[in-house]
Amino acid sequence: MEDYHKPDQQTLQALKDTANRLRINSIKATTAAGSGHPTSCCSAAEIMSVLFFHTMRYKVQDPRNASNDRFVLSKGHAAPILYSVWAEAGFLQEAELLNLRKIDSVLEGHPVPRQAFTDVATGSLGQGLGAACGMAYTGKFFDRASYRVYCLLGDGELSEGSVWEAMAFAGFYKLDNLVAIFDINRLGQSDPAPLQHHVEIYQKRCEAFGWHAIIVDGHSVEELCKAFGQAKHQPTAIIAKTFKGKGISGVEDKESWHGKPLPKNMAEQVIQEIDDRIQNKKKLSPALPEEDAPIVNIRNIKMPSPPTYKVGEKWATRKAYGVALAKLGHANDRVIALDGDTKNSTFSELFKKEHPSRYIECFIAEQNMVSIAVGCATRDRTVPFASTFATFFSRSFDQIRMAAISESNINLCGSHCGVSIGEDGPSQMGLEDLCMFRAIPNSTVFYPSDAVATEKAVEIAANTKGICFIRTSRPENAVIYNNNEDFHIGQAKVVLKSKDDQVTVIGAGVTLHEALAAAEQLRKEKIYIRVIDPFTIKPLDKKTILESARATKGRIITVEDHYHEGGLGEAVCAAVVGEPGVTVTRLAVSHVPRSGKPAELLRMFGIDKDAIMQAVRAAVSKSRNAE
């Protein structure tokens, strides 16, 4: 960045005037809405004015242009000032601000990507910086473009651990295209923030995390211009000492005003006072970006060749995931992989070996890893695949939930699911992951049962919008599908079928193989079962399941390496609810497991082939007795 040139007095005054117009519009919008956070907006008015009308380079009428500077409002409750900025710039009509929070307005209570100028939804505090890190990493290492990324955080959210995961990430990777602005306005929602105005402590913390940290008066446009003009070979944190409700007489720096709009009479008086400080109505225009972000195409990514497995060979689906991902990396140079220091267990290391520059090590910080993936995926710059043990995604559930609200397209692979991992014990066993991912709106939940299905799941996920989750297992199981087998979302496979089938058994992953072993044994007793592999747990193939149930006297048994709640069994129950004559027996992990050998644990929790055989015999004899 060029050396700092102090703006002339006219520009500085125009920035002050802009800040006051932003204050006025934030107050007007929240008073009209009867709710919102005007005091949180007012502390950031000069920051937003300088950022959007002096520092950032972007095309106002093309907010998602790939070359534009990026902005993330991590303190999402200050949304009205973001909307006021875009009205000031001319992208929004000023009158639209008065529709804030209305059901037919795009201007929601917190930023969402329905707004063209919002890349990631914020409002669950502490998540904006992680996404900004993903954008900055993409800009520096993948796009190699000159756009910069700015993230505005409130001091209240600096108590969130996820902020410091992101700080560590940016410091480690020296993201010198990233600027975090801390709006230190002293007051939280119900109490002062823990450090209040001790800005020097924030500075030391930032420096300890590898950031260049500058303390400024957050209401001085000149100090802000100078701070934003400094370029270092590390990320920059601007620690802005501000006052909550700045400019609102009787409210500025006072407790008990968080999230409260000004009453109409008071608002009119305050607006008049602020308006009197404005010297010039002339509006500033932002500088245009350097258009150097490459054109990217991430549509229709196809594997360069079919799978090369042999039926009967034993493969762990976690390893097949790594093989598939490395292969997919050759199909498109925008496929990237992220991991949380488990790459030699999830097998994402196979991707790293073949595409080292497209692998991001996120270390043991799963919340941040998901946020990085979300940031990397914005503006369709990359196709991220992030992996760790399935159970550790529970740590980042809020980030995944917000990713769905962000309409993000990310792919997450959770390995080491269920009790079948064995000796490591319950802290490492993913037993809640299906429940968690099924609850996410617009999610797709893949549960491949062999290496071929896993490779197809990876390819399909790369081309599927929304949150995709791929559940992989540790044990090695036989390949059951031919390499040319076709897979689709929401289409189950009937892997075993005869006209004499008496019960439908639905398994996935290790339990599908237990079901097939049970079928072989039961055949000797002249009991025949139909075995279904769902492939995706969400959406579930209701049609195939019902057809099979009707062909087997309405009898369904589900068997899963997961807790009862929210897994395969409950998904099947939801699919067949209200269907006359259909009964579902669910075999699942019933309580907190323990260490042991995989086979011992499958037996202990009643999800192995013997338990399936017992359940089948019980279902068949029950109907015989009824007859």
Side-chain angles (χ1 to χ4, degrees), residues 566-622:
L568 170 64
E570 288 198 352
V572 170
C573 287
V576 302
V577 71
E579 292 291 334
V582 176
T583 56
V584 181
T585 304
R586 294 182 298 136
L587 307 181
V589 179
S590 54
H591 56 265
V592 175
R594 47 157 305 125
S595 292
K597 291 190 166 67
E600 292 171 333
L601 289 163
L602 292 177
R603 187 177 315 122
M604 177 183 270
F605 287 97
I607 56 171
D608 67 345
K609 70 169 184 186
D610 292 340
I612 296 168
M613 286 160 61
Q614 203 177 327
V616 169
R617 288 188 199 111
V620 170
S621 69
K622 195 188 286 179

Side-chain angles (χ1 to χ4, degrees), residues 466-517:
I467 313 296
C468 289
F469 175 62
I470 303 173
R471 187 179 212 232
T472 64
S473 307
R474 189 168 187 263
E476 294 183 347
N477 282 118
V479 173
I480 57 172
Y481 295 112
N482 291 315
N483 291 314
N484 59 0
E485 185 75 37
D486 214 10
F487 287 84
H488 298 280
I489 289 169
Q491 263 186 38
K493 299 284 179 192
V494 180
V495 290
L496 196 66
K497 179 182 180 179
S498 80
K499 62 178 188 346
D500 302 318
D501 293 338
Q502 292 151 282
V503 182
T504 293
V505 178
I506 305 170
V510 293
T511 62
L512 182 81
H513 297 272
E514 294 295 323
L516 290 170

Side-chain angles (χ1 to χ4, degrees), residues 26 47 125 157 183 410 493:
S26 299
I47 294 167
L125 292 172
E157 67 181 309
D183 180 4
I410 58 170
K493 299 284 179 192

Side-chain angles (χ1 to χ4, degrees), residues 202-211:
Y202 288 115
Q203 183 178 39
K204 284 177 183 153
R205 287 184 181 180
C206 293
E207 287 171 349
F209 277 81
W211 288 58

Side-chain angles (χ1 to χ4, degrees), residues 244-298:
K244 199 160 183 170
K246 176 72 175 174
I248 306 176
S249 51
V251 170
E252 183 176 320
D253 200 34
K254 294 276 191 292
E255 287 190 47
S256 303
W257 274 97
H258 180 92
K260 292 178 183 171
L262 305 189
K264 199 164 187 294
N265 303 350
M266 184 183 180
E268 285 167 3
Q269 188 187 329
V270 167
I271 287 166
Q272 191 54 59
E273 286 172 20
I274 299 172
D275 196 52
D276 289 345
R277 294 180 208 135
I278 295 174
Q279 294 184 16
N280 196 324
K281 300 282 187 218
K282 185 175 173 292
K283 297 198 174 186
L284 294 165
S285 294
L288 291 172
E290 192 178 328
E291 297 206 40
D292 56 2
I295 291 167
V296 168
N297 181 9
I298 57 168

Side-chain angles (χ1 to χ4, degrees), residues 125-310:
L125 292 172
Q127 296 191 24
L129 188 59
C133 284
M135 296 174 189
Y137 192 102
T138 298
K140 181 171 178 164
F141 296 109
F142 304 143
D143 285 343
R144 296 192 175 89
S146 54
Y147 63 79
R148 296 175 68 74
V149 182
Y150 299 88
C151 180
L152 177 61
L153 299 94
D155 50 357
E157 67 181 309
L158 299 179
S159 292
E160 288 280 9
S162 54
V163 170
W164 300 97
E165 288 185 10
M167 292 290 287
F169 180 93
F172 180 77
Y173 286 111
K174 295 186 167 54
L175 298 180
D176 51 2
N177 56 346
L178 175 65
V179 180
I181 308 97
F182 292 2
D183 180 4
I184 309 296
N185 67 20
R186 193 181 77 80
L187 297 174
Q189 175 170 328
S190 61
D191 254 330
L195 296 180
Q196 300 208 29
H197 270 147
H198 290 293
V199 285
E200 69 289 349
I201 299 178
Y202 288 115
Q203 183 178 39
K204 284 177 183 153
R205 287 184 181 180
C206 293
E207 287 171 349
F209 277 81
W211 288 58
H212 174 56
I214 312 163
I215 294 170
V216 298
D217 171 353
H219 299 303
S220 161
V221 293
E222 191 175 333
E223 283 189 36
L224 286 163
C225 287
K226 188 173 182 182
F228 283 126
Q230 290 188 29
K232 299 281 174 188
H233 295 297
Q234 61 192 130
T236 297
I238 294 173
I239 298 150
K241 182 182 175 182
T242 62
F243 293 96
K244 199 160 183 170
K246 176 72 175 174
I248 306 176
S249 51
V251 170
E252 183 176 320
D253 200 34
K254 294 276 191 292
E255 287 190 47
S256 303
W257 274 97
H258 180 92
K260 292 178 183 171
L262 305 189
K264 199 164 187 294
N265 303 350
M266 184 183 180
E268 285 167 3
Q269 188 187 329
V270 167
I271 287 166
Q272 191 54 59
E273 286 172 20
I274 299 172
D275 196 52
D276 289 345
R277 294 180 208 135
I278 295 174
Q279 294 184 16
N280 196 324
K281 300 282 187 218
K282 185 175 173 292
K283 297 198 174 186
L284 294 165
S285 294
L288 291 172
E290 192 178 328
E291 297 206 40
D292 56 2
I295 291 167
V296 168
N297 181 9
I298 57 168
R299 289 173 192 279
N300 201 21
I301 301 173
K302 291 276 177 266
M303 283 287 185
S305 58
T308 53
Y309 296 102
K310 290 190 178 77

